[in-house]
Amino acid sequence: MENIYVQKKSTPKLSGMIKSFWLIDSKEDVSIHREKIIPDGYPELIFHYGDAYKTNIDGRWKLQGKNLIAGQIKNHFFLENRGISKMFGIKFQPWTLTELFDIEMYHLTNTVIEVPLELLEILDPIREIGSRALSFDEKIKKVENWFVEYIGRLNPKYPKGQQAVELIIKNNGKLDLKNIQDTVGISERSLERYFRKYIGVSPKYYSRIIRFSHIFKLVQDDAINWADIVFLTGFYDQSHFIKNFQEFTGEDPTKYSFFEDNLANFFLKK
């Protein structure tokens, strides 16, 4: 039986911290297969309540744990299921893990790690909800209630660095960084420092990831051809476009299976 992929945006009152919730489920044992994961610009919290996965990020296959944090991924990597897939995940806004849990994101760049024990103690109610026999909507409602209460005990800020990230996302990674600095009133050094701590990659690299991810939304419009996509994503020419796509996916864009049901497309398609 094939995996079921479900994703839903967070409620507006939490959209400043959480982008979406997702669930993957296979009701029966499935054959072992490998999937490619490609960058999308958003960190995640992932709870496995089925069989664990193996992952290959640095050239070596490793068995994953059951409770995971994924930081910013700069290049594609591979996952391999080990049987029944059951996962509940939260895709955060780029700054959330630092804002809520004081995680310095540069430590998590290109990594998917076990949730540290001290953080798992805080997040255990979410882990418990995610693994229960509830509908997807019921899980989301309970988890959102937990976050509303948790955030209510904090005093979330709205720093200029976050405003810069929002501008990058809003403009699909095409806005010049000097323009962004002038718009939000932040120095280049302060912006770099913010991105190192809160995002995990440089402003320039993050812009590249967001510009790349926009390709997947444009491809779904049948009226747009490759020349249009190259122009709309702000590349100088087709060769630069292809090189950028290959760096993130390891494939030529004309040969990539944009409409295949897999994890990469599940997260990147609109």
Side-chain angles (χ1 to χ4, degrees):
M1 182 173 179
E2 295 297 324
N3 287 338
I4 298 169
Y5 302 101
V6 190
Q7 188 168 197
K8 187 174 182 178
K9 287 183 178 180
S10 72
T11 184
K13 63 184 176 184
L14 286 173
S15 61
M17 292 293 177
I18 298 174
K19 185 175 187 289
S20 63
F21 299 91
W22 56 268
L23 182 140
I24 295 174
D25 190 13
S26 58
K27 300 298 183 182
E28 301 173 8
D29 196 11
V30 293
S31 60
I32 293 175
H33 63 282
R34 293 179 181 177
E35 297 215 45
K36 182 184 293 184
I37 302 297
I38 52 183
D40 70 353
Y42 298 90
E44 294 179 295
L45 185 64
I46 304 163
F47 295 110
H48 286 267
Y49 54 104
D51 295 319
Y53 272 57
K54 288 176 69 176
T55 184
N56 187 338
I57 297 178
D58 58 3
R60 297 172 296 171
W61 285 98
K62 300 175 183 177
L63 187 66
Q64 282 188 330
K66 291 293 191 82
N67 311 303
L68 305 170
I69 291 180
Q72 290 291 342
I73 304 300
K74 298 178 72 174
N75 301 104
H76 66 276
F77 69 95
F78 295 93
L79 284 176
E80 183 178 274
N81 71 310
R82 307 303 298 165
I84 296 176
S85 298
K86 290 182 180 292
M87 286 181 273
F88 178 77
I90 304 171
K91 194 172 285 287
F92 292 109
Q93 295 295 356
W95 51 80
T96 300
L97 290 175
T98 306
E99 189 69 51
L100 296 188
F101 308 115
D102 201 30
I103 296 173
E104 297 193 342
M105 292 303 291
Y106 68 90
H107 291 305
L108 298 184
T109 303
N110 276 342
T111 61
V112 180
I113 66 167
E114 282 267 15
V115 179
L117 288 177
E118 61 272 20
L119 181 55
L120 188 59
E121 288 181 7
I122 297 172
L123 298 173
D124 196 59
I126 297 176
R127 181 203 60 77
E128 193 271 334
I129 292 166
S131 61
R132 284 168 59 187
L134 301 170
S135 71
F136 185 43
D137 285 343
E138 287 173 325
K139 291 183 180 186
I140 290 174
K141 184 176 180 180
K142 289 180 180 296
V143 171
E144 286 185 331
N145 288 339
W146 185 91
F147 271 102
V148 167
E149 182 179 345
Y150 182 82
I151 294 171
R153 299 198 299 266
L154 306 176
N155 183 25
K157 307 173 185 65
Y158 186 45
K160 291 179 179 179
Q162 180 179 326
Q163 297 173 46
V165 181
E166 291 175 344
L167 276 175
I168 290 172
I169 295 171
K170 181 179 179 181
N171 290 275
N172 299 312
K174 294 189 296 181
L175 198 60
D176 179 79
L177 290 179
K178 184 63 170 64
N179 192 325
I180 291 173
Q181 292 166 30
D182 292 342
T183 300
V184 304
I186 188 171
S187 69
E188 180 179 0
R189 184 174 180 179
S190 293
L191 187 63
E192 290 281 351
R193 188 162 51 242
Y194 176 89
F195 267 75
R196 173 179 165 80
K197 179 178 180 179
Y198 283 76
I199 312 302
V201 295
S202 70
K204 183 176 181 180
Y205 204 94
Y206 189 73
S207 294
R208 285 187 61 204
I209 293 173
I210 296 302
R211 182 168 61 164
F212 159 76
S213 67
H214 188 49
I215 296 169
F216 286 74
K217 298 172 179 63
L218 293 173
V219 165
Q220 294 174 79
D221 186 344
D222 292 335
I224 295 179
N225 58 36
W226 282 114
D228 293 330
I229 292 172
V230 172
F231 173 75
L232 290 170
T233 47
F235 287 94
Y236 296 115
D237 53 41
Q238 191 167 357
S239 64
H240 283 90
F241 171 83
I242 293 172
K243 181 182 179 182
N244 187 80
F245 192 91
Q246 289 175 333
E247 286 177 352
F248 283 122
T249 67
E251 298 183 49
D252 188 285
T254 59
K255 297 179 180 179
Y256 184 87
S257 300
F258 284 95
F259 298 98
E260 181 180 324
D261 287 332
N262 57 39
L263 283 174
N265 292 338
F266 169 59
F267 290 127
L268 281 162
K269 294 193 317 188
K270 62 183 177 182

